Every structure is written in structure tokens, then in C-alpha cells.
Amino acid sequence: MENKIRGRVWRFPDNVDTDQIIPAEYLTTSKPEELAKHVFEKVRPEFAKNVQNGDIIVAGKNFGCGSSREHAPRALLGIGISAVIAESFARIFFRNSINIGLPVIECKIDVEEGDMLEIDFANGRIRDLRTVKEFKFKRMAPFLLELINSGGLVPYVKNKLKCR
Amino acid sequence: MPTIAEKILAKKSGKRRVEPGEIIEAEVDYVMVNDVTGLPAFEVFEEFNTKPLKEKIVLIPDHYVPNKDIASAEQAKAMREFARKYKIPNYFEIGTSGICHQIMIERGFVAPGRLIVGADSHSCTYGALGALGTGVGSTEAATVFAIGKLWFKVPETQKFTIEGKLNRYVMGKDIILHIISDIGVSGSLYKVMEFYGSTIEELSLSDRITISNMAVEAGAKAGIIPPDEKVFRYLNGRVKGDYEAIYSDEDANYSEEFEYDAEEIIPVVAEPFLPSNVKPASEVDVKIDQAYLGSCTNGRIEDLRIAAKILKGKKVHRDVRMIVVPASKEVFEEALREGLIEIFLDANAYVSGPTCGACLGGYMGVLARDEVCVSSTNRNFIGRMGHKDSRVYLASPAVVAASAITGRITDPNEL
Ligand code: SF4
């Protein structure tokens, strides 16, 4: 993970569930590129067409609630989302994201659709480049940060197996 | 003093005590994947280049089996081949099986004090037997296949106490919907719910399973009910291996405590599009197109019995399709023996073998635009059972059966 990233904001409300992120009828594949075509298809059909690499999702409470499908963060990674910032996350979505290396930040921020954000992971700061507002977030527990930095759970497990 | 979840996590991580917020690595007793979450887990596992911990793995195809289309057939095949390649003993083929959470319980994988993860969000269901069951992702499942352990953040625990005698036709479903309407869909986010009180003690195991099943609909990591004689009796002759029941200390540290009076709970429905949009069934005047009885939430024999009691000698309304899906082969056989299937068929309901199917908008009952379904399942999100403009009302089996007869959402007490 890069220490600083920049991206455009897509705003979402509270309680965005995994059925909205990737509808169940597309769960017959687990490839991020394939899943990416159907991201938010039922609720925001324009999303998949207009999203740009590096864009950031900013949402309200309980983002990613619903099913445990890892397809949801995979689809977001597949379509080029670089981070999700939400007031709170559903726990399985949060775990899945960390485990596959999608940065998730728990923070309430007041920004608008289309704003350009800069996220500084090392210092726990988010800056809105349009309004110049700054927001602070609590840095992750060291174990989780290490997990994200090493690329997720797969390299972590490989390392453990090697040490046996 | 520790709660049930804290005690289980301490034991499984080899510590004397763990505190909420702490991140630990714990030994998992069983890991389950289904046909949707299995394939990505198998792909990740192959990257590890190691042998799987066979005895811990449970493979249950249920979401799209019998295969819905070619893509789902390929997924189910991948699971079968993984089972064969590594000689995994616990693979459950259709015809012997059913919905994953029901099979985990029926086949004795779930027992008090165990730590069980499933690559399915409703793995919190196992809390009804005093286990710490929780949903994980596919990469995490693959991790347990390989090293048998996983990281966990020790959650805080909330205590829910329900006292008193339930009204007629009030089921476990109404209790959990009542609670979710009170605390909201993120009311238990990251937390464990523990359930107590005379109402819970009196409930059948089946109704308790419904309650634990929907803990995730309040955002919870698990929904645990202290195990009692009912659980021990059910497990007798069924459970695999030994188990040790674990209880919270008298003065355990709860982050919050909630109390409810059973007499205030009535038959309800959760209106679209959140399980917290709860209204008395008697106050919702909505015409339905489909009535669905099944799923890991309410597809057990007790659920079929109450629906059959209501439907006996009656007909499903001519504008309604009623679909009945027993949650497992065992449930199906018992329903046949008791004559329940005959009652459903006589009433003009459609009965199928176990599958998740329509519960997640997969197949076998997908909704068209603007259609309304009253459903004994657990989620009523946008497009959950089909078209984005279709609507799902969550309800107990009793409300589903009563509504099927009248063609509108109906409180069974009004029949
Ligand atoms: S019955 Fe529905 S909720 Fe239960 S495991 Fe299947 S899809 Fe999930």
C-alpha cells in the first residue's frame, strides 16, 4: 500500500449492503475484473461506467452489511477503487477488505461527490483538496496495518507456513 | 469478568484472559464454505502449496444446487473436485444434505464452547447451541484450511433479556425482529449478543436458532444463547467429538444491557428494505404475489409444523404462489412422515428439495418487477430476491402461511 493516495469521491448513504455492491446473480465468478462490470448495477448503474482508477468511496454507517461475500471488496478492487472511507463498516466486509488489501478507513467526513481527496495513511489524515478541509482518523492496530502493508492475509499465511 | 465469547476466545488462543479490543490468533474448530464462497477459497488455498487440515473442513454446496446454470455447475464441480483431491471427509452432496447452517447443526459440527467460522455471514447461527460462530471471507476460510487459525478482534458483548410468556403465534422470528427494530441494523456492530430470560429458556431450539441466525442483521459478530438441557439432548447421539459448555460469569462485563417484556411482542413483518423496518403484521395492508417458507432462518420442522397447522384444509390464495423449501433432507423426511408435505400440496403450495435458491434471489422463486413476497428468510434488501423494484417483507412462518391464504400480509390471529 502506498503511504499517500489521491482520488475522486463517490458518496454513498448508510447501510450500503453487499447485495447492492455486487448482486447475488453474479456470484458465479470470483474474478475481480468480471465482478467489476456489475458493481452497484441495481442502485447506481452509472457507477461502473464512470468510475476512474483510484477513486474513493465515502459512505455513512454500516458500509458492506449483509452477506459475507468477499466478492464485494474484490469487485471494488477490480474496478479500481483505492480506498473506502465510512462512518462505520459491517465487520465481515471490514475483515475481507483488510485480508485482500483494500484500505478501509473508519472516519466521519464531510465532503461532496466529485471532491478530490488525499489520504495520508502514515499520519492518519484525509484532506479535501477542493475545500482544504482536513479530517483525522485513528490509525489501525499495528497487526492490521502490518497485514495490509504485506498485501493481505495470503502473504501472511505463506510466511507462517515457511516458518514451520 | 468474562462473557461467553471472551472465554471461548481465551481458551482457543491459549490465554488465561482476553479483553475486548485485543487482537488475538485463535484455533478454529471447524471452517465451513458453501458453493459460492468455496471457489475463491480453493483458489487462495492452492497458492499456499500445502496440505489442508482435512478434519476441520466442511464443504456444503447449497446456494445454487441443484445447479442453476453452467457457471454454478462449474462452481459446484470445483467443490466436489477439491473434496476428492484432498479426500475431505465432510463434503455433503445434494440428496444427503441441505442448507449449510442447518447441516452444520444437524451433523454435529456445532456444539457448546466451540469456535466455528463459516464463509457465510449467517454462521452466527451456531450461537444458538452455545458456540461462537461467525462469518468470515473466503481468503480467511482458506487460511483456516492451511493453518487452522485466524485473527480475531475480541468483541464487546451486549446482554439481551426477555422475560414472560409469549402471545399466540409469536415466534423466535418476531422476537429477533422486535429487538432489531429497537436497536437498529448496526445496533450490535462488532459486538456479540447474548440472550437470556425465561422466554428464551422456554423457546424451542429451532426458535433459538432463528434468533441467533439474525444476529448479523443487527451487525453482530455472533448471537449466543447459553446452552441448556434442550441443547444437550439434541446433541446426544449427533455431536462429533467432545465439547465443553461455557457460560458467562454472573458479573460479566456487558457493554450494554437490554430488557424486553415478552407480552409486548406480537406477530410482525419487516418492511423493505431493512430488517429494522418492523411493523405489526396486523397493521400492514399489502397484497402479496409470493409467500416463501424456508431458509436457514425458518426452514426447520417446527417452522413447517406451524405453517401446516395454519394451512390445513385451506387453499393458498389464487393470486399467490407459495413456495415451501425444507432446510434439509432430515427436515424433509420428517415433514413427509408427519403428513405436512401432504397438507402443503393439498393447499396448492409448491414444495421443493432443500436449496438456498430464492432466499438470495438465485433461482426457484426469483421476483419480477414490482412483485411482493412475504418471506421467512432474513434479508429484505433492495433486489435481494430478484428485481430491484421487487419487495420482500420478512416474517415468521406463521405470518407467511396466514398471508398465503388471504393474499395480503396477515396476522395469523385474525384468521
Ligand atoms: S438460506 Fe439464505 S440466508 Fe441462509 S445460507 Fe442460504 S442464502 Fe444465506
Side-chain angles (χ1 to χ4, degrees), chain A:
Chain A
M1 187 177 70
E2 313 245 344
N3 251 334
K4 268 190 190 170
I5 58 170
R6 278 186 180 196
R8 266 186 334 160
V9 170
W10 289 82
R11 291 259 11 179
F12 281 86
D14 290 346
N15 302 318
V16 171
D17 62 75
T18 53
D19 281 286
Q20 291 180 40
I21 301 173
I22 182 78
E25 51 261 46
Y26 305 115
L27 298 185
T28 46
T29 173
S30 55
K31 295 203 175 58
E33 330 65 86
E34 281 297 309
L35 293 166
K37 292 181 200 153
H38 306 289
V39 174
F40 293 120
E41 189 175 276
K42 288 191 183 176
V43 286
R44 281 185 86 168
E46 81 287 4
F47 181 88
K49 282 184 215 110
N50 300 331
V51 72
Q52 289 169 17
N53 209 22
D55 282 1
I56 294 168
I57 288 177
V58 177
K61 293 189 195 122
N62 204 19
F63 188 85
C65 58
S67 93
S68 69
R69 63 190 70 150
E70 197 170 299
H71 307 69
R74 280 193 193 209
L76 296 180
L77 260 189
I79 205 161
I81 291 295
S82 63
V84 184
I85 303 170
E87 253 182 270
S88 62
F89 289 91
R91 59 164 285 279
I92 306 177
F93 181 88
F94 189 82
R95 291 180 70 97
N96 280 340
S97 301
I98 290 173
N99 289 332
I100 65 166
L102 171 68
V104 275
I105 299 170
E106 209 172 38
C107 184
K108 185 176 176 178
I109 66 173
D110 149 37
V111 299
E112 277 173 31
E113 177 102 357
D115 286 2
M116 184 60 89
L117 296 189
E118 185 178 82
I119 306 176
D120 178 346
F121 288 100
N123 294 304
R125 268 205 292 266
I126 301 165
R127 225 153 69 94
D128 186 324
L129 301 182
R130 181 180 65 88
T131 60
V132 229
K133 276 194 221 161
E134 256 203 16
F135 310 93
K136 281 205 157 98
F137 60 90
K138 217 171 99 200
R139 292 183 48 207
M140 265 181 212
F143 174 82
L144 300 186
L145 211 57
E146 196 194 309
L147 210 58
I148 282 208
N149 279 333
S150 66
L153 201 53
V154 172
Y156 172 83
V157 173
K158 283 186 178 162
N159 207 15
K160 277 218 140 181
L161 287 167
K162 246 190 274 159
C163 299
R164 268 196 186 162

Side-chain angles (χ1 to χ4, degrees), chain B residues 62-63 99-101 120 122 295-296 356 359-360 378 384:
Chain B
D62 63 350
H63 277 51
I99 295 173
C100 57
H101 306 304
D120 188 285
H122 291 104
S295 85
C296 56
C356 288
C359 170
L360 79 160
N378 46 36
R384 170 71 176 181

Side-chain angles (χ1 to χ4, degrees), chain B residues 68-378:
Chain B
K68 154 191 183 234
D69 53 18
I70 293 168
S72 64
E74 295 291 345
Q75 274 184 334
K77 186 176 169 206
M79 175 172 278
R80 208 170 292 120
E81 284 177 345
F82 187 82
R84 280 188 196 140
K85 176 174 173 188
Y86 294 108
K87 302 196 169 51
I88 312 258
N90 295 313
Y91 165 74
F92 294 94
E93 189 57 89
I94 57 161
T96 68
S97 181
I99 295 173
C100 57
H101 306 304
Q102 184 65 18
I103 296 305
M104 287 295 286
I105 292 172
E106 278 179 8
R107 300 301 177 97
F109 297 105
V110 179
R114 288 185 182 164
L115 174 60
I116 303 170
V117 298
D120 188 285
S121 60
H122 291 104
S123 305
C124 54
T125 307
Y126 317 146
L129 288 84
L132 176 52
T134 195
V136 298
S138 298
T139 301
E140 299 186 289
T143 298
V144 183
F145 290 2
I147 62 173
K149 292 181 180 169
L150 200 58
W151 67 271
F152 294 93
K153 187 165 156 190
V154 180
E156 294 184 311
T157 301
Q158 300 168 312
K159 182 176 187 177
F160 294 83
T161 309
I162 305 111
E163 295 285 358
K165 209 171 158 306
L166 286 173
N167 294 306
R168 187 159 170 253
Y169 287 129
V170 172
M171 302 185 68
K173 183 64 150 284
D174 302 295
I175 298 176
I176 189 66
L177 288 176
H178 184 84
I179 293 174
I180 296 171
S181 82
D182 181 41
I183 64 172
V185 289
S186 51
S188 297
L189 208 57
Y190 303 130
K191 296 181 180 165
V192 168
M193 307 168 91
E194 272 185 21
F195 299 95
Y196 291 88
S198 57
T199 316
I200 301 291
E201 285 159 24
E202 284 298 313
L203 278 185
S204 68
L205 181 56
S206 175
D207 270 315
R208 294 183 194 174
I209 293 172
T210 308
I211 292 177
S212 294
N213 175 271
M214 288 194 71
V216 67
E217 259 52 73
K221 179 171 194 148
I224 305 182
I225 299 175
D228 62 2
E229 269 308 313
K230 276 184 199 161
V231 174
F232 306 145
R233 235 181 298 130
Y234 177 81
L235 288 176
N236 199 0
R238 210 181 260 278
V239 67
K240 294 201 191 319
D242 302 333
Y243 64 89
E244 184 199 350
I246 289 180
Y247 301 95
S248 289
D249 287 345
E250 279 291 334
D251 51 353
N253 285 326
Y254 294 103
S255 65
E256 287 121 309
E257 300 195 20
F258 301 86
E259 279 165 25
Y260 300 94
D261 179 354
E263 275 160 39
E264 281 171 17
I265 305 176
I266 51 172
V268 291
V269 293
E271 298 191 314
F273 293 102
L274 283 177
S276 55
N277 290 342
V278 175
K279 296 267 165 62
S282 58
E283 285 174 22
V284 177
D285 188 24
V286 171
K287 215 170 146 295
I288 58 164
D289 301 288
Q290 182 166 300
Y292 188 82
L293 175 62
S295 85
C296 56
T297 319
N298 280 124
R300 277 172 292 283
I301 191 68
E302 291 83 350
D303 301 314
L304 270 49
R305 274 185 202 138
I306 184 124
K309 192 176 141 201
I310 293 169
L311 281 160
K312 190 166 184 182
K314 306 232 170 52
K315 295 280 182 227
V316 169
H317 191 278
R318 65 185 149 79
D319 296 337
V320 176
R321 295 110 45 188
M322 180 168 190
I323 300 173
V324 180
V325 185
S328 70
K329 175 187 177 132
E330 187 182 311
V331 174
F332 204 141
E333 285 174 331
E334 182 60 25
L336 264 177
R337 264 196 299 274
E338 294 182 18
L340 310 183
I341 300 296
E342 210 181 319
I343 295 175
F344 294 131
L345 293 176
D346 281 348
N348 292 340
Y350 174 92
V351 182
S352 97
T355 174
C356 288
C359 170
L360 79 160
Y363 70 134
M364 303 275 291
V366 172
L367 301 174
R369 180 199 301 264
D370 295 332
E371 283 192 330
V372 174
C373 180
V374 62
S375 179
S376 74
T377 54
N378 46 36

